Amino acid sequence: MRMATALSVTVLAAGGIGHAVVTGLDTGITRVDPFKDMKNRPQAGHGMNVLVVGTDGRDRITAEEKKKYRLGGAPCHCTDTVMLVHISEDRERASVVSLPRDSYAEMPEHTDVNSGRKHRAHPVKLNAAYAEGGPGLTVRTVESMTGVKIDHYLEVDFTSFMRTVDAVGGVQICTTRPLKDSYTGLDLSPGTHELDGGQALQYVRSRHIDGAADLGRMQRQQRFLAALIERMTTGGVLLNPVRFREVATTMLSSVRADEEFGTDQLLALAKAMHGFTPASSEFVSVPIGDMSFPVKGIGSTVKWDAPKAQKLFQAVRDDRPLAAAARAGTPTSGKAPKAAVVDVPPRTIRVQVYNGTRTDGLGRKVDDALRATGFDTTRTPQTEAGRERGRTVVEYDPRWDRSAKSLAAALPGAELRAVAGRGPTMRVTVGGDYKGVAAVRAETGGASFEAVTGDQVVCP
């Protein structure tokens, strides 16, 4: 939920505003060391992974706000929201994976930060990791559950969330049906609404609107994040240095982060992510196998669908787009084209792309499109020497003919050419007849989770 603060900082920095404006903003961040003494961590993948947690801290909220937005309860000192944010290696995409707070988790062996007692590994709900072991145990638990190595940690509370929304001028939310929750006070009629910070907090906290409970709440959080990105990228925040600093200072006023997340990281992301839009973001929730998995001494928990979750986090480690609509060369709104079924899963097919035309950048475009469709491209497209090719050619070793046919299905009209001794890496030489990459999937290797891009969930 409040990971909006962290994601917003990245988006704001992407405006390309100079070092003088950004320098010093990170001095207001409270530092923590969630990686201290960590061992046997997952192997690093491609891109950058940020674990963002929202706590229910409300110490600095006024009495009037507590009453108006129904925030008077006692905080549980646990994580109210947990999200894994993946920034692609090319810095052109942000993937946000929501982890239900009641997820069944195996807590690693640890020492309780409150009592000092040592605990063996035991089952818990995910949000209890913070209460027992703070940021460090939260990172360890998430890494153990996902197999994804965390690079940075960011923690935000209610106050920062509300002030951030107000600083950007509110967000626009659309709903096709009434949204009413007596617990948070949310009451929205069908239509378009401009929400201030307190109202936005009600919107993302509500979980008693319908039977969807936490899953419905996570979907609303995703819609909110997309709306916030749109407001910042189209509302003039990035073009006004004074307003930018005001908004960024507000965002960082109550953030806790690891020592390595600071000005230099913001500036590096700024240069790489210039032009970030809602379509550059994608959102997905962990696939659920059992919404009410009973655990003795804990109660009802949310059990992940292990095979589907594994595929999701493998995609994160591989730095592959999670949303079908994010495929290069396809529309980013509306329904994605139906994928053709092939024999061999694209992720198992290694591809080297060569540009056989005189069109600058076409090799990179094809490499990106194939990778977005699921193929394991080298990411280093080359230029074919000699005359310009009129037809796209797929060269392959006859021992991998089924893989070659699966690749050719993604390149309509391509010529298949067997080359003995070529090895498992396919060679694609792009010709003048190239018309784009078609979506393909293996019979048993299709999407096991649903994801959407930000432009699909903001108001039309």
Side-chain angles (χ1 to χ4, degrees):
M1 173 167 57
R2 267 94 55 211
M3 61 74 59
T5 298
L7 188 57
S8 301
V9 170
T10 299
V11 176
L12 283 170
I17 299 176
H19 191 283
V21 177
V22 181
T23 297
L25 290 178
D26 59 351
T27 58
I29 301 176
T30 302
R31 297 297 179 179
V32 295
D33 186 6
F35 309 115
K36 184 179 180 180
D37 300 326
M38 288 188 65
K39 301 176 181 178
N40 302 317
R41 303 185 65 192
Q43 184 177 355
H46 301 286
M48 181 176 72
N49 300 308
V50 185
L51 182 64
V52 185
V53 304
T55 65
D56 65 344
R58 58 196 80 187
D59 295 340
R60 295 178 297 126
I61 295 177
T62 66
E64 181 181 356
E65 289 173 326
K66 287 182 178 180
K67 181 178 180 180
K68 183 176 181 180
Y69 302 118
R70 307 191 185 184
L71 300 171
C76 69
H77 302 294
C78 56
T79 49
D80 191 56
T81 297
V82 183
M83 289 183 173
L84 176 61
V85 181
H86 174 79
I87 306 297
S88 64
E89 192 168 52
D90 59 14
R91 299 302 190 254
E92 294 182 355
R93 183 183 72 258
S95 305
V96 181
V97 183
S98 298
L99 311 181
R101 64 178 185 176
D102 291 335
S103 296
Y104 173 85
E106 292 286 344
M107 183 99 58
E109 183 177 326
H110 67 281
T111 300
D112 192 305
V113 293
N114 300 307
S115 65
R117 293 176 55 192
K118 292 185 177 181
H119 295 280
R120 295 180 179 179
H122 61 281
V124 293
K125 292 182 179 181
L126 176 57
N127 67 341
Y130 185 90
E132 290 192 28
L137 186 58
T138 302
V139 170
R140 289 178 60 197
T141 301
V142 171
E143 285 192 344
S144 175
M145 296 173 71
T146 65
V148 175
K149 185 177 182 181
I150 305 301
D151 301 303
H152 293 292
Y153 173 88
L154 292 172
E155 179 184 314
V156 191
D157 66 9
F158 283 169
T159 304
S160 183
F161 176 89
M162 296 171 64
R163 304 294 182 263
T164 296
V165 176
D166 287 337
V168 300
V171 295
Q172 187 179 78
I173 294 295
C174 299
T175 178
T176 58
R177 60 187 180 85
L179 299 180
K180 192 168 185 177
D181 186 340
S182 59
Y183 288 82
T184 64
L186 178 70
D187 189 1
L188 297 181
S189 59
T192 302
H193 302 269
E194 289 284 339
L195 306 185
D196 60 21
Q199 293 169 325
L201 185 59
Q202 290 176 312
Y203 179 77
V204 297
R205 288 186 65 223
S206 293
R207 57 193 299 265
H208 299 280
I209 292 176
D210 50 36
D214 268 343
L215 295 185
R217 185 178 71 156
M218 287 190 296
Q219 291 175 345
R220 286 185 287 278
Q221 291 168 3
Q222 294 167 356
R223 290 180 179 276
F224 163 78
L225 288 174
L228 181 62
I229 292 171
E230 182 178 54
R231 179 54 55 93
M232 290 189 301
T233 55
T234 63
V237 174
L238 301 179
L239 302 178
N240 186 327
V242 175
R243 191 177 177 203
F244 167 82
R245 188 173 183 87
E246 175 188 350
V247 172
T249 301
T250 300
M251 290 178 177
L252 298 173
S253 62
S254 59
V255 166
R256 296 212 305 168
D258 63 273
E259 294 287 349
E260 300 301 319
F261 189 88
T263 297
D264 290 341
Q265 284 68 38
L266 293 181
L267 289 173
L269 289 171
K271 294 178 180 179
M273 297 182 68
H274 185 69
F276 198 88
T277 68
S280 307
S281 60
E282 54 182 7
F283 305 91
V284 64
S285 300
V286 175
I288 305 302
D290 189 342
M291 281 296 298
S292 184
F293 180 70
V295 180
K296 186 177 180 179
I298 299 175
S300 179
T301 67
V302 175
K303 187 76 176 289
W304 295 357
D305 184 314
K308 292 182 179 180
Q310 184 177 4
K311 291 181 180 180
L312 167 62
F313 294 118
Q314 185 62 54
V316 172
R317 290 190 291 272
D318 292 344
D319 195 23
R320 288 188 280 116
L322 305 182
R327 292 189 182 95
T330 62
T332 55
S333 61
K335 294 184 177 180
K338 186 176 180 180
V341 177
V342 294
D343 289 338
V344 181
R347 68 178 182 276
T348 67
I349 302 174
R350 185 71 168 170
V351 183
Q352 172 64 59
V353 176
Y354 281 79
N355 183 3
T357 74
R358 299 295 176 265
T359 304
D360 292 338
L362 183 58
R364 168 59 62 187
K365 180 180 179 181
V366 175
D367 185 281
D368 289 346
L370 287 171
R371 187 166 192 83
T373 306
F375 290 94
D376 182 20
T377 66
T378 63
R379 302 190 184 197
T380 55
Q382 306 293 320
T383 299
E384 174 75 357
R387 63 181 178 81
E388 186 172 5
R389 300 295 184 91
R391 188 177 181 185
T392 300
V393 176
V394 176
E395 296 180 358
Y396 67 98
D397 190 307
R399 292 175 295 174
W400 282 275
D401 61 326
R402 291 174 61 244
S403 293
K405 292 176 182 177
S406 296
L407 173 58
L411 296 164
E415 176 187 349
L416 278 170
R417 185 177 299 171
V419 179
R422 167 140 199 91
T425 300
M426 309 286 153
R427 170 172 170 149
V428 172
T429 303
V430 185
D433 65 341
Y434 173 77
K435 294 295 190 296
V437 171
V440 298
R441 65 176 178 83
E443 186 65 54
T444 58
S448 297
F449 47 87
E450 294 184 2
V452 294
T453 50
D455 59 325
Q456 291 178 298
V457 295
V458 295
C459 295

